[in-house]
Amino acid sequence: MRIPIIAGNWKMNMTISQGIDLVNKIKDITLKTDVEVVVCTPFTALMDIKRAIGDTKLKLAAQNMHWEEGGAYTGEVSPVMLKDIGIDYVILGHSERRQYFGESDDDVNKKVKSAIKYNIRPIICVGETLEEREQGQAEEKVKSQILKALDGVEKKDTADVVIAYEPIWAIGTGKTASSKDANNMIAYIRNIIMEKYGDEAFDKVRIQYGGSVKPGNATEIINQPDIDGALVGGASLKADDFIKIINF
Ligand code: PEP
């Protein structure tokens, strides 16, 4: 039985005090259903948010990391530093990082293997552009991103891997994939996992949907049979909206 995971990606938003305020509103709420809730904060807020989370069940994630444990990489943050703070998850290969910061599939793969090495669970983002979808290349693109991201990842580590299917045209645009299309792509991704790793991984890997998830569409999307939760951007910045989503 896979527990749905709902992660709020704050992106480059929230000062420390704003983040603490938000976390204080969401950390103790009663969940309707068994669900894992994660906040993905900017690096600057991680330590204070970790303290604000305290011993509640809320989990903490970074939005990126370097693959090396340390060294001459000005401006980067290593897995050792993130583990030191006590984070649970790290978002890797978000389309904004691929698009604006030139992250390649190879970079994402190195980060995924490094996260696993340091016991940080990766949330690996994949998804097609509108052009690729219109040209019937969505599945091919997503398959290639997944196989490259997981190259060299062992079967025993797959239970800790989360995949976020985020069609790029749906991120921050207000457009969502239909729940049926999202479910179909996620079922397709699960089959890729099955072909690569077999039945156990097929059952355990959690695959979220991301792209303009809001209180009004969360229930329908997350209740699809193959969808194991959501990666939420804009709607995770308002406590009321995020609470509605996590109580889908
Ligand atoms: C995201 O940041 O991954 C995302 C899906 O953003 P939004 O929900 O705002 O589309």
Side-chain angles (χ1 to χ4, degrees):
M1 176 57 189
R2 295 183 299 273
I3 296 174
I5 171 167
I6 299 186
N9 175 15
W10 295 359
K11 310 195 187 196
M12 197 173 71
N13 295 296
M14 296 281 173
T15 60
I16 294 170
S17 60
Q18 288 169 332
I20 292 173
D21 195 39
L22 179 62
V23 161
N24 284 339
K25 288 182 183 145
I26 61 178
K27 67 182 184 184
D28 289 321
I29 61 148
T30 313
L31 299 171
K32 260 201 310 213
T33 176
D34 207 0
V35 58
E36 190 174 17
V37 181
V38 187
V39 285
C40 315
T41 86
F43 290 130
T44 48
L46 283 169
M47 192 67 241
D48 292 277
I49 298 297
K50 177 76 187 167
R51 289 197 193 100
I53 287 173
D55 56 8
T56 66
K57 284 189 185 161
L58 191 60
K59 301 277 172 55
L60 182 63
Q63 300 171 15
N64 180 31
M65 65 168 221
H66 197 276
W67 56 84
E68 291 289 349
E69 63 177 44
Y73 299 99
T74 302
E76 292 290 329
V77 175
S78 86
V80 175
M81 295 165 182
L82 294 173
K83 201 63 205 171
D84 197 29
I85 291 175
I87 67 161
D88 306 285
Y89 290 90
V90 61
I91 299 177
L92 296 176
H94 192 282
S95 62
E96 287 153 13
R97 296 223 46 92
R98 295 180 192 255
Q99 188 180 347
Y100 304 134
F101 303 100
E103 259 185 37
S104 66
D105 285 325
D106 186 46
D107 295 336
V108 176
N109 175 245
K110 285 191 250 180
K111 292 178 182 197
V112 169
K113 287 189 286 196
S114 175
I116 290 170
K117 179 173 169 193
Y118 290 99
N119 287 318
I120 302 171
R121 296 175 169 204
I123 299 176
I124 306 169
C125 300
V126 296
E128 80 284 359
T129 62
L130 187 57
E131 201 184 356
E132 287 161 342
R133 173 153 287 258
E134 284 171 353
Q135 290 176 357
Q137 295 165 351
E139 290 188 347
E140 195 187 316
K141 165 77 176 290
V142 165
K143 182 171 187 177
S144 146
Q145 285 181 320
I146 287 176
L147 292 179
K148 285 177 184 158
L150 292 176
D151 188 37
V153 172
E154 291 179 48
K155 186 174 170 176
K156 67 174 176 50
D157 296 318
T158 52
D160 289 334
V161 168
V162 176
I163 295 172
Y165 166 57
E166 301 205 299
I168 295 170
W169 47 271
I171 298 179
T173 58
K175 291 182 196 152
T176 349
S178 72
S179 50
K180 190 164 157 279
D181 283 351
N183 191 69
N184 285 348
M185 181 62 95
I186 285 175
Y188 171 77
I189 294 173
R190 200 172 296 290
N191 276 320
I192 299 171
I193 299 296
M194 163 84 130
E195 278 168 23
K196 185 169 165 71
Y197 293 109
D199 287 354
E200 209 183 316
F202 175 87
D203 284 337
K204 287 193 173 154
V205 171
R206 289 178 294 174
I207 312 174
Q208 308 170 294
Y209 168 78
S212 296
V213 173
K214 308 271 179 245
N217 59 21
T219 305
E220 186 182 340
I221 291 171
I222 302 170
N223 278 330
Q224 293 298 309
D226 287 288
I227 300 183
D228 303 317
L231 182 54
V232 184
S236 71
L237 299 173
K238 290 194 192 129
D240 289 353
D241 284 354
F242 196 54
I243 289 169
K244 284 183 193 136
I245 293 172
I246 60 189
N247 276 319
F248 67 93

